[in-house]
Amino acid sequence: MEKFIIQGGNRLEGSVRISGAKNSVVAILPAVLLSDGVCRIENVPNISDVSVTLKILYELGAKVRMINQSTFEIDPTGINSYIISKEMSSRMRASSYFIGAMLGRFRKARVAPPGGCDFGVRPIDQHIKGFQALGARVIIDNGMVDARALKLVGSPIYLDMASVGATINIMLAAAKAEGLTVIENAAKEPHIVDLANFLNSMGADIMGAGTDIIKIRGVSKLCGVNYSIIPDQIEAGTYMAAVCATGGNVLIDNVIPKHLESITAKLVQIGAEIEEYDESLRIIMNTNPKACNVKTMYHPGFPTDMQPQITALLSLGEGTSIVTESVWANRFKYTDQLTFMGADISVEGRTAVVKGVQKLVGAPVAATDLRAGAALIIAGLAAEGTTEIENIEYIDRGYEDVVEKITALGGNIKRVNIPEPSMFKEAL
Ligand code: EPU
């Protein structure tokens, strides 16, 4: 079993280069399936969600070639299967994107329900509603989502909530449908725009991505392209929150500052100085963090995927902060772990009351999901003493080279391999 061991107390200084966005790449890799040629994807982060997605593409029959650490060439022309087993699908949420992509390519898809982080119920009813509006019959058969259509025909689709996953899946299925699809109340996150840019570079006709209304005029053919994934807004925000918790002065390189506006605004309120440049920003924190209220919202609001990290930071804030989660029903499970480190957080439904404490103290804790893991790293870096974090496979799903990047900034974090109890037995 692997763990992170962190000795807290060091200020973070230097520069960190942000990797490609997880939530873009996990949509763009399945989208390659729609292409009639080879796609070269650059700025691909080395995270386990990418390994799983590439493995799925390979198992479906794609040729996957690694050009360098962050560039992959994928030839989807040999793909002949439209089935993804439970074993693969349950490893990540974004496996559901293969339903839209395979429907678009084969007019059929059979995919076990997706896994991913557990924030309570994670339905896909809006995805299914979209596929049905395009003319697919969707049933749950033997534990698999089975979607089939003789043909897909564009249609207006109103989403009950601005779901990222449903917007992406409908774009994938509609890109090669006949006629016009209009998604109303579409998600507006940067990864939606990135996927639309990718599909358009392949020859799709998609307008309005980044607004509430996306119009997709189906085309008959999409071709292979070279494309570079946008930088990861949440990875950048995580390092920014870490600097605020430890104090320091760090250049966050390879970012799109516009994507970070809601995060930057909150961190400035908490006490950070932030200078923005074209593709980087500098964050300086020389004071104790101040309390502030945060409410997560769909983009361009404060992202839910930064909620645990900012809560960890606010646990050290001067005063009381109210953090309200409006996207997920149950995304505060991790706060128990922060209280083991001395945080004073009480949760009532979708609201956490965070009373700032003067210090956190290192403790053994466990990540309950990906961003919860990031929050524990931030807490550990700011705490007095040693923090041991278990369940770090969650963190590996979304953060490339986290140990190397933090170490380069002067943080003290190590990945250690602790043998399982049964392995001790064998050694005796
Ligand atoms: N929802 C439904 N029905 C649906 C789809 C969503 O009720 O058919 C509800 C969900 O239960 C949730 C809300 O709508 O309450 C938003 O869900 P959304 O579909 O937007 O989320 P998602 O596509 O499953 C993506 C990210 C998450 C991120 C959310 C919100 C990926 C692979 N995942 O999930 O990222 O929290 O959007 O921005 O893009 C993460 O990176 O840590 C992560 C969890």
Side-chain angles (χ1 to χ4, degrees):
M1 180 185 41
E2 287 192 325
K3 283 186 187 182
F4 286 148
I5 301 199
I6 301 175
Q7 298 294 337
N10 294 1
R11 273 170 72 87
L12 298 181
E13 307 270 351
S15 75
V16 61
R17 187 173 169 81
I18 298 306
S19 303
K22 168 181 96 74
N23 289 345
S24 273
V25 73
V26 297
I28 285 175
L29 291 176
V32 168
L33 237 149
L34 293 166
S35 151
D36 291 339
V38 178
C39 291
R40 180 184 276 233
I41 313 294
E42 294 165 9
N43 205 28
V44 175
N46 181 11
I47 53 177
S48 65
D49 270 10
V50 164
S51 317
V52 173
T53 314
L54 289 173
K55 186 143 190 258
I56 293 176
L57 280 165
Y58 175 78
E59 287 189 354
L60 289 173
K63 285 194 193 122
V64 178
R65 199 155 74 93
M66 186 174 180
I67 305 297
N68 60 44
Q69 175 80 9
S70 62
T71 305
F72 288 83
E73 232 173 50
I74 300 153
D75 178 355
T77 50
I79 292 184
N80 47 25
S81 169
Y82 62 96
I83 300 173
I84 299 177
S85 68
K86 182 157 196 264
E87 204 273 315
M88 293 310 284
S89 169
S90 60
R91 295 217 224 152
M92 58 185 277
R93 179 72 179 168
S95 54
S96 72
Y97 297 155
F98 281 96
I99 309 178
M102 293 199 291
L103 255 185
R105 171 156 173 176
F106 297 118
R107 304 291 186 253
K108 57 186 175 185
R110 199 171 158 80
V111 177
C117 289
D118 175 12
F119 317 129
V121 191
R122 293 187 72 172
I124 56 165
D125 56 295
Q126 300 299 305
H127 307 224
I128 292 176
K129 181 171 92 173
F131 299 145
Q132 287 170 336
L134 296 174
R137 184 209 60 157
V138 187
I139 56 168
I140 308 296
D141 170 35
N142 215 1
M144 305 281 275
V145 180
D146 192 286
R148 280 158 208 261
L150 286 176
K151 59 178 184 173
L152 294 172
V153 181
S155 161
I157 300 166
Y158 178 83
L159 296 180
D160 294 350
M161 72 289 296
S163 158
V164 168
T167 304
I168 287 176
N169 240 334
I170 295 167
M171 283 164 70
L172 293 171
K176 288 172 97 175
E178 288 171 23
L180 182 68
T181 298
V182 180
I183 311 176
E184 288 187 55
N185 195 25
K188 300 190 283 257
E189 273 64 9
H191 28 290
I192 304 285
V193 180
D194 207 25
L195 175 65
N197 288 342
F198 174 64
L199 290 169
N200 282 343
S201 70
M202 293 204 289
D205 182 356
I206 302 177
M207 281 175 59
T211 74
D212 294 323
I213 300 183
I214 302 181
K215 295 185 178 166
I216 306 146
R217 195 170 291 283
V219 296
S220 56
K221 192 174 158 58
L222 295 174
C223 54
V225 287
N226 287 3
Y227 192 81
S228 182
I229 305 287
I230 54 166
D232 196 310
Q233 162 207 25
I234 305 299
E235 189 199 14
T238 301
Y239 283 101
M240 290 164 76
V243 175
C244 289
T246 60
N249 179 337
V250 171
L251 184 76
I252 312 277
D253 194 18
N254 189 37
V255 295
I256 299 174
K258 176 112 189 96
H259 292 172
L260 291 162
E261 273 172 353
S262 61
I263 300 170
T264 300
K266 280 294 155 192
L267 296 181
V268 167
Q269 225 177 312
I270 289 170
E273 292 164 50
I274 297 178
E275 295 158 14
E276 289 181 2
Y277 311 110
D278 288 348
E279 291 176 1
S280 62
L281 60 82
R282 178 169 294 284
I283 179 158
I284 303 166
M285 185 74 172
N286 285 329
T287 61
N288 291 332
K290 295 183 202 54
C292 100
N293 297 340
V294 177
K295 184 171 183 183
T296 67
M297 312 263 267
Y298 297 112
H299 190 80
F302 189 87
T304 171
D305 295 340
M306 275 299 296
Q307 180 259 96
Q309 301 90 312
I310 203 153
T311 302
L313 166 62
L314 292 172
S315 71
L316 288 163
E318 283 172 0
T320 299
S321 308
I322 309 288
V323 179
T324 309
E325 172 57 54
S326 53
V327 177
W328 294 108
N330 189 7
R331 204 173 191 173
F332 281 122
K333 278 191 196 163
Y334 68 90
T335 55
D336 284 348
Q337 306 294 315
L338 289 177
T339 60
F340 298 155
M341 300 177 70
D344 182 349
I345 305 175
S346 50
V347 176
E348 188 65 49
R350 287 180 177 237
T351 303
V353 178
V354 187
K355 290 188 185 149
V357 292
Q358 283 201 333
K359 63 173 184 185
L360 296 173
V361 180
V365 288
T368 51
D369 64 62
L370 166 62
R371 308 303 174 187
L376 294 176
I377 291 181
I378 292 171
L381 289 170
E384 220 175 75
T386 308
T387 298
E388 288 190 16
I389 307 180
E390 281 185 14
N391 296 350
I392 61 170
E393 62 281 2
Y394 281 121
I395 302 169
D396 291 334
R397 286 189 37 212
Y399 289 90
E400 178 174 42
D401 292 342
V402 66
V403 168
E404 292 74 5
K405 288 185 184 185
I406 292 175
T407 306
L409 293 175
N412 186 340
I413 177 169
K414 289 189 175 57
R415 182 188 291 266
V416 294
N417 201 342
I418 313 280
E420 303 282 346
S422 60
M423 292 164 77
F424 284 126
K425 262 195 221 143
E426 277 162 29
L428 286 174

